[in-house]
Amino acid sequence: MRIRTLYDIAGQAASRCLTEQLSALYDGDLPLPDSTRKPVVFANFVQSLDGIVSLKIPGKSGGAEISGRNEEDAFVMGLLRAMADAVMIGEDTFRNAPGHLWTAGFVYPKLEEEFVALRAQLGKRSRHPLNIVVSGMGNVNLGDRLFTQPEIQALVLTTKQGATQLHRRYGDTLPAAVRVLPGDSVLNPSDMAALLHADYRVRLLLHEGGPRLFSSFLTQGLIDDLFLTIAPRIVGRGQSGERPNVSGPLALDSEQAIRGTLLSVKCAESGHLFLRYQIAR
Ligand SMILES: NC(=O)c1ccc[n+]([C@@H]2O[C@H](COP(=O)([O-])OP(=O)(O)OC[C@H]3O[C@@H](n4cnc5c(N)ncnc54)[C@H](OP(=O)(O)O)[C@@H]3O)[C@@H](O)[C@H]2O)c1
């Protein structure tokens, strides 16, 4: 496991965030953005050289298949989860990763205790970030391992219609925490962010996609930084273009394009690139 820094203007001004060991492995510090936003939102994706984030093949549609199960990518994912108060995913991403836990140790078990030490150093109150699944329609499998692990605090954000659907399936007492927000079938990302900040004290939210949920945050200007791994592999868009890119259904014209400012570039010997962009609001 070796990451080399090629360019980094993110780490220069800020005070130290990472532990010594993690900073050595990351080849530099990983400071939070200088933002007054509540919460600060980081997004993390891995894409192929040709911009694809999911193969859309049942059982093989996640980021690991895009990265080629790259160790450095798993480490960066772990690092970001360790820094986060909460990790958020859309229902499709959740459904395609049965048994997955959105914790640092789950993706990079070798450093589980070092990640816990980082959380303690950062003053986090829990060993793991809050795991949040977003579903407007309420088609969430509450029997999944995510909702049965006592050490993981998990939460479903849904609409009134989604909650009705969950009660129909699981009865009056739901086996997981479910919060209802306004919206017929779609939630407003600003409402989600405000609720997480006010009721769950989320200061740093890690957005792990997928593209549809991410695009709704992007259009509302709610993303602070995008961590994007480029895997040196070409997989194609599919016969009918069914394989999505990071921004999914977004369709902006040139004047509306959301600008990114490059903060850091790192690489691994495998040829993977690790980019960090600040996203314009
Ligand atoms: N390469 C990577 O780094 C990476 C990262 C993440 C995901 N992925 C892959 O991407 C694929 C999934 O991406 P996706 O874009 O199709 O799905 P997604 O964003 O993960 O999930 C979409 C679903 O989430 C819910 N949702 C999204 N935005 C919402 C909103 N504003 N309000 C309420 N509900 C909302 C809806 O659920 P309901 O239909 O239940 O209402 C929607 O159908 C998977 O294959 C996953 O493995 C790859």
Side-chain angles (χ1 to χ4, degrees):
M1 220 286 304
R2 179 144 188 258
I3 289 178
R4 213 152 47 86
T5 300
L6 305 175
Y7 173 80
D8 186 6
I9 58 163
Q12 285 166 6
S15 58
R16 194 175 181 79
C17 287
L18 298 183
T19 64
E20 231 169 84
Q21 186 187 356
L22 292 174
S23 166
L25 289 168
Y26 190 59
D27 196 26
D29 205 7
L30 203 167
L32 297 177
D34 186 17
S35 170
T36 52
R37 228 113 56 105
K38 295 172 178 173
V40 166
V41 186
F42 280 1
N44 185 33
F45 281 89
V46 56
Q47 69 171 51
S48 62
L49 267 188
D50 49 346
I52 303 301
V53 300
S54 173
L55 300 181
K56 286 283 172 189
I57 299 171
K60 296 180 185 171
S61 68
E65 281 77 22
I66 297 293
S67 81
R69 305 197 178 278
N70 176 256
E71 183 174 0
E72 285 84 355
D73 184 55
F75 167 73
V76 172
M77 216 187 310
L79 201 51
L80 292 172
R81 288 181 182 183
M83 295 185 76
D85 298 306
V87 184
M88 171 181 277
I89 46 157
E91 193 277 328
D92 199 278
T93 299
F94 171 68
R95 186 158 25 89
N96 280 288
H100 192 98
L101 304 177
W102 280 265
T103 68
F106 190 88
V107 276
Y108 203 73
K110 254 193 244 178
L111 287 174
E112 173 145 30
E113 289 313 313
E114 190 62 22
F115 290 137
V116 170
L118 172 63
R119 292 183 71 76
Q121 178 174 303
L122 294 173
K124 308 281 177 201
R125 293 170 303 141
S126 59
R127 193 175 160 90
H128 304 295
L130 170 70
N131 281 203
I132 304 153
V133 180
V134 179
S135 165
M137 305 307 284
N139 295 319
V140 181
N141 175 14
L142 299 181
D144 188 272
R145 183 177 172 216
L146 177 66
F147 299 106
T148 60
Q149 298 297 298
E151 77 275 16
I152 309 287
Q153 190 190 1
L155 175 67
V156 175
L157 297 183
T158 191
T159 59
K160 200 171 164 197
Q161 184 190 347
T164 304
Q165 167 69 17
L166 286 169
H167 280 296
R168 209 172 283 143
R169 190 165 162 195
Y170 293 100
D172 287 347
T173 311
L174 297 178
V178 173
R179 292 293 300 265
V180 173
L181 285 167
D184 288 337
S185 58
V186 176
L187 302 175
N188 183 337
S190 303
D191 291 343
M192 297 189 236
L195 174 92
L196 294 173
H197 186 264
D199 289 7
Y200 298 87
R201 291 165 67 179
V202 173
R203 307 281 180 271
L204 177 59
L205 174 64
L206 176 61
H207 196 310
E208 286 205 18
R212 278 184 284 165
L213 183 61
F214 179 59
S215 66
S216 69
F217 273 69
L218 261 183
T219 42
Q220 288 213 345
L222 288 174
I223 301 295
D224 285 279
D225 285 16
L226 170 62
F227 289 77
L228 184 62
T229 298
I230 312 285
R233 316 166 84 221
I234 293 173
V235 294
R237 206 148 151 54
Q239 296 271 341
S240 44
E242 67 273 17
R243 297 177 169 180
N245 67 0
V246 149
S247 55
L250 210 60
L252 303 176
D253 65 28
S254 181
E255 289 73 41
Q256 298 169 314
I258 298 163
R259 217 177 142 263
T261 303
L262 187 62
L263 295 183
S264 71
V265 181
K266 293 171 186 262
C267 68
E269 268 169 21
S270 54
H272 287 69
L273 275 181
F274 302 91
L275 310 177
R276 177 179 181 179
Y277 282 95
Q278 180 183 64
I279 303 299
R281 284 139 207 198

